[in-house]
Amino acid sequence: MSVGFDNLKHIVVLMMENRSFDHMLGGLHAVDSRINGLTGNETNPDTTGEPAKVQAQAEFQSQLDPDPDHHFPAVHKQLFDGTPGPPAVPAMQGFVKSYWDQQNDVNHSRKILYYFKPSDLPVLTTLALKFAVFNGWFSSIPGPTICNRAFAHYGTSFGSVGMNPFVINKPYRSIYDRMLDAGRTAKLYYYDAASSTMEVVNLLSNQPRVFGTYSQFLGDCKSGSLPDYSFIEPNYSDHPGDGGGQLLATDQHPDHNIRAGEIFIASIYNAIFGNPDLWKSTLLLVVYDEHGGIYDHVPPPACVADDTPASAADTGIGVPFAFDRLGVRVPAILISPWIKKATVIPGPEDAADGRVFEHASIPATVAKCFLAPDDNRSPREKNASTFLDLLSDTMRRNSDCPLFHVN
Amino acid sequence: MTKKAANKSSRRAAPEAAPADLPTMVEVPKPAAGSYDPTRPLSKNTLLQHQVRHFQLLEQTLPRDRRSGHDHRRIVTEGDAAEYLRKMTAMLHPQEAAPTKVSAAPSGPGKDE
């Protein structure tokens, strides 16, 4: 391993909500052709049969209303509509038709192909271009939030493809559990009590000691008391602050304001960067849980099956699901001064050197960094790619790194 | 020594100031005024709907004296959901103000390989 790995003491993961890779970072292909984004020629047929084209016209708020459907049956349509024969490689041609299903509005349905100009997202764009961007990070299952986030916490969703509180039916413990049992430290920071955590049924009700708040995260960064592993959740709702004031949702889930999420991402980065000891010893991953029903052009690849399938009744598409195909691609950026500038980690587009990552890569990487080998993990976690090798032997100067200022 | 030589010698002797190692500042715009809307219908956000539902299901498993007493029929906006979640989270996680424990463990086995 590298000098950067030798200096590594903290891994921090920030998981945002419901935006696809192409929607947020697709425009970067024009800036750096190694980034597998959009050429501008990608299309999806609308319900009249006309090809609707991707356009750099995404708006910060009020455009994707209604919230695009991202549950398993809808995502199945988004991936496989128009795929000849049994679903093999997804055609990625069903996004516009899927969005039409919600409002029966042809013009509005085409907006599911809209993406942001790089200049619209100064934080995400800067981080992607200055550090490392993954061409091949996929959500763990072609479905909604709860089961995808479960892969980040447990390396599996225990057979769930939906949003119902899942039953832990295998002895796979959360990464927080494993860290604490090994004498390490780990914390799941939710934004505040009013936003709370998505990990209610299992972790918050059973292990409240695992949790902290965003303001505590900022304090921990300042005081140098960040745990070995931190997972951060954004603010999931617009609500009044404890001391008054207005707190905007920062998760970027439609229809929350994108710019509020940019500010939140910046605050996490700034908090780590602002403590030099922390900056040189921390690896920060900014990733999204799933695509939110929004277009991406890269077919999710097949993967090692997990060991608890979802029944045909649970999938809602008439056939069971073996968790042997990943979900739609999401933005994922890895940040550390030990990462070479403008690193692009190739994905499936590179037959020779492409690498595939998913949310099970998170506990897999944390376990590889901090824990002894353990076979009592899900098949998906045991087979997931890890990302510690992206740390180099050279630490970049501050002048080669950004600092964000909210104006 | 000529004046020119003296000046040249003086310039050579003066230490050059090290360039400041400062990061590149990136400006981040704020959301437009009017973005804040806690009255946004909960029906527009399936994620929040499910989160509220999860807390409600959990609450049903709690002893009556630990339940929120919240009228669930009144949870119709994001702000309403936030208020209910605040109450439930504070009950489940009263130690949210507790400081984080710093690991005393040395580098883990993974890092020794």
Side-chain angles (χ1 to χ4, degrees), chain A residues 21-22 25-30 32-40 42 135 297-298 329:
Chain A
F21 183 101
D22 279 344
L25 299 177
L28 285 179
H29 178 73
D32 182 341
S33 61
R34 297 174 302 153
I35 296 176
N36 188 8
L38 297 167
T39 64
E42 294 82 2
N135 273 347
H297 78 282
V298 177
R329 203 171 55 138

Short mmCIF file of all heavy atoms in Angstrom, two decimals, chain A residues 21-22 25-30 32-40 42 135 297-298 329:
data_model
loop_
_atom_site.label_atom_id
_atom_site.label_comp_id
_atom_site.label_asym_id
_atom_site.label_seq_id
_atom_site.Cartn_x
_atom_site.Cartn_y
_atom_site.Cartn_z
N PHE A 21 -25.69 9.80 -12.36
CA PHE A 21 -24.37 10.30 -12.77
C PHE A 21 -24.51 11.31 -13.90
O PHE A 21 -24.00 12.44 -13.83
CB PHE A 21 -23.48 9.14 -13.22
CG PHE A 21 -22.08 9.55 -13.58
CD1 PHE A 21 -21.04 9.37 -12.69
CD2 PHE A 21 -21.79 10.13 -14.83
CE1 PHE A 21 -19.74 9.74 -13.02
CE2 PHE A 21 -20.50 10.52 -15.16
CZ PHE A 21 -19.48 10.33 -14.25
N ASP A 22 -25.21 10.94 -14.96
CA ASP A 22 -25.30 11.83 -16.12
C ASP A 22 -26.01 13.14 -15.78
O ASP A 22 -25.68 14.19 -16.31
CB ASP A 22 -26.04 11.14 -17.27
CG ASP A 22 -25.13 10.21 -18.07
OD1 ASP A 22 -23.89 10.33 -17.94
OD2 ASP A 22 -25.66 9.35 -18.81
N LEU A 25 -23.11 14.89 -13.39
CA LEU A 25 -21.73 14.97 -13.88
C LEU A 25 -21.59 14.69 -15.37
O LEU A 25 -20.48 14.76 -15.90
CB LEU A 25 -20.85 13.97 -13.10
CG LEU A 25 -20.76 14.19 -11.58
CD1 LEU A 25 -19.92 13.08 -10.94
CD2 LEU A 25 -20.17 15.56 -11.26
N GLY A 26 -22.69 14.38 -16.03
CA GLY A 26 -22.62 14.05 -17.46
C GLY A 26 -22.01 15.14 -18.31
O GLY A 26 -21.33 14.88 -19.30
N GLY A 27 -22.23 16.40 -17.90
CA GLY A 27 -21.69 17.52 -18.65
C GLY A 27 -20.17 17.61 -18.60
O GLY A 27 -19.55 18.32 -19.40
N LEU A 28 -19.55 16.87 -17.69
CA LEU A 28 -18.09 16.93 -17.56
C LEU A 28 -17.36 16.19 -18.67
O LEU A 28 -16.15 16.34 -18.82
CB LEU A 28 -17.64 16.38 -16.20
CG LEU A 28 -17.90 17.30 -15.01
CD1 LEU A 28 -17.44 16.63 -13.71
CD2 LEU A 28 -17.18 18.63 -15.19
N HIS A 29 -18.10 15.41 -19.44
CA HIS A 29 -17.45 14.72 -20.56
C HIS A 29 -16.85 15.75 -21.53
O HIS A 29 -15.79 15.50 -22.13
CB HIS A 29 -18.45 13.84 -21.29
CG HIS A 29 -17.89 13.13 -22.49
ND1 HIS A 29 -17.01 12.07 -22.39
CD2 HIS A 29 -18.07 13.35 -23.81
CE1 HIS A 29 -16.69 11.65 -23.60
NE2 HIS A 29 -17.31 12.40 -24.49
N ALA A 30 -17.50 16.90 -21.64
CA ALA A 30 -17.01 17.94 -22.55
C ALA A 30 -15.75 18.63 -21.99
O ALA A 30 -15.00 19.24 -22.74
CB ALA A 30 -18.10 18.98 -22.79
N ASP A 32 -13.53 16.89 -19.75
CA ASP A 32 -12.51 15.84 -19.70
C ASP A 32 -13.12 14.61 -20.35
O ASP A 32 -14.01 13.98 -19.76
CB ASP A 32 -12.12 15.57 -18.24
CG ASP A 32 -11.02 14.52 -18.10
OD1 ASP A 32 -10.79 13.74 -19.06
OD2 ASP A 32 -10.39 14.47 -17.04
N SER A 33 -12.64 14.28 -21.52
CA SER A 33 -13.29 13.21 -22.30
C SER A 33 -13.13 11.83 -21.66
O SER A 33 -13.79 10.86 -22.07
CB SER A 33 -12.74 13.18 -23.72
OG SER A 33 -11.35 12.94 -23.70
N ARG A 34 -12.25 11.73 -20.65
CA ARG A 34 -12.13 10.44 -19.95
C ARG A 34 -13.35 10.18 -19.07
O ARG A 34 -13.62 9.03 -18.72
CB ARG A 34 -10.88 10.43 -19.08
CG ARG A 34 -9.54 10.57 -19.82
CD ARG A 34 -8.39 10.70 -18.83
NE ARG A 34 -8.60 11.86 -17.97
CZ ARG A 34 -8.10 11.96 -16.73
NH1 ARG A 34 -7.40 10.99 -16.20
NH2 ARG A 34 -8.32 13.07 -16.03
N ILE A 35 -14.05 11.25 -18.69
CA ILE A 35 -15.23 11.10 -17.83
C ILE A 35 -16.37 10.61 -18.71
O ILE A 35 -16.74 11.26 -19.70
CB ILE A 35 -15.59 12.43 -17.14
CG1 ILE A 35 -14.45 12.83 -16.20
CG2 ILE A 35 -16.90 12.31 -16.39
CD1 ILE A 35 -14.62 14.18 -15.53
N ASN A 36 -16.92 9.46 -18.36
CA ASN A 36 -17.93 8.81 -19.19
C ASN A 36 -19.29 9.46 -18.96
O ASN A 36 -20.18 8.90 -18.34
CB ASN A 36 -17.99 7.31 -18.87
CG ASN A 36 -18.88 6.55 -19.84
OD1 ASN A 36 -19.36 7.10 -20.84
ND2 ASN A 36 -19.15 5.30 -19.54
N GLY A 37 -19.41 10.69 -19.49
CA GLY A 37 -20.65 11.43 -19.37
C GLY A 37 -21.35 11.48 -20.71
O GLY A 37 -21.34 10.51 -21.49
N LEU A 38 -21.92 12.63 -21.01
CA LEU A 38 -22.82 12.75 -22.17
C LEU A 38 -22.13 13.45 -23.35
O LEU A 38 -21.42 14.43 -23.16
CB LEU A 38 -24.07 13.54 -21.76
CG LEU A 38 -24.92 12.87 -20.68
CD1 LEU A 38 -25.95 13.85 -20.13
CD2 LEU A 38 -25.61 11.64 -21.23
N THR A 39 -22.40 12.92 -24.54
CA THR A 39 -21.94 13.59 -25.75
C THR A 39 -22.97 14.61 -26.22
O THR A 39 -22.66 15.48 -27.01
CB THR A 39 -21.75 12.58 -26.88
OG1 THR A 39 -23.02 11.99 -27.19
CG2 THR A 39 -20.76 11.49 -26.48
N GLY A 40 -24.20 14.48 -25.73
CA GLY A 40 -25.29 15.36 -26.18
C GLY A 40 -26.17 14.68 -27.21
O GLY A 40 -27.21 15.20 -27.60
N GLU A 42 -27.30 11.48 -26.80
CA GLU A 42 -28.07 10.39 -26.19
C GLU A 42 -29.57 10.72 -26.23
O GLU A 42 -29.98 11.86 -26.05
CB GLU A 42 -27.62 10.18 -24.73
CG GLU A 42 -26.19 9.68 -24.58
CD GLU A 42 -25.14 10.80 -24.66
OE1 GLU A 42 -25.55 11.98 -24.81
OE2 GLU A 42 -23.94 10.49 -24.56
N ASN A 135 -16.17 6.47 -12.88
CA ASN A 135 -17.05 6.25 -14.03
C ASN A 135 -17.98 5.07 -13.79
O ASN A 135 -18.98 4.93 -14.51
CB ASN A 135 -16.21 5.95 -15.29
CG ASN A 135 -15.79 7.22 -16.02
OD1 ASN A 135 -16.31 8.30 -15.75
ND2 ASN A 135 -14.85 7.07 -16.93
N HIS A 297 -26.85 6.87 -19.08
CA HIS A 297 -26.71 6.11 -20.32
C HIS A 297 -25.97 4.80 -20.16
O HIS A 297 -25.95 3.98 -21.09
CB HIS A 297 -26.02 6.97 -21.40
CG HIS A 297 -24.53 7.09 -21.24
ND1 HIS A 297 -23.94 7.94 -20.33
CD2 HIS A 297 -23.51 6.47 -21.90
CE1 HIS A 297 -22.62 7.83 -20.42
NE2 HIS A 297 -22.32 6.95 -21.36
N VAL A 298 -25.38 4.55 -19.00
CA VAL A 298 -24.54 3.35 -18.85
C VAL A 298 -25.35 2.19 -18.29
O VAL A 298 -25.89 2.29 -17.18
CB VAL A 298 -23.35 3.65 -17.93
CG1 VAL A 298 -22.52 2.39 -17.72
CG2 VAL A 298 -22.49 4.75 -18.54
N ARG A 329 -26.24 3.97 -12.42
CA ARG A 329 -25.01 4.66 -12.04
C ARG A 329 -25.31 5.97 -11.30
O ARG A 329 -26.27 6.68 -11.64
CB ARG A 329 -24.22 4.96 -13.31
CG ARG A 329 -22.74 5.16 -13.11
CD ARG A 329 -22.05 5.23 -14.46
NE ARG A 329 -22.62 6.24 -15.33
CZ ARG A 329 -21.92 7.04 -16.09
NH1 ARG A 329 -20.59 6.98 -16.06
NH2 ARG A 329 -22.50 7.91 -16.88
#
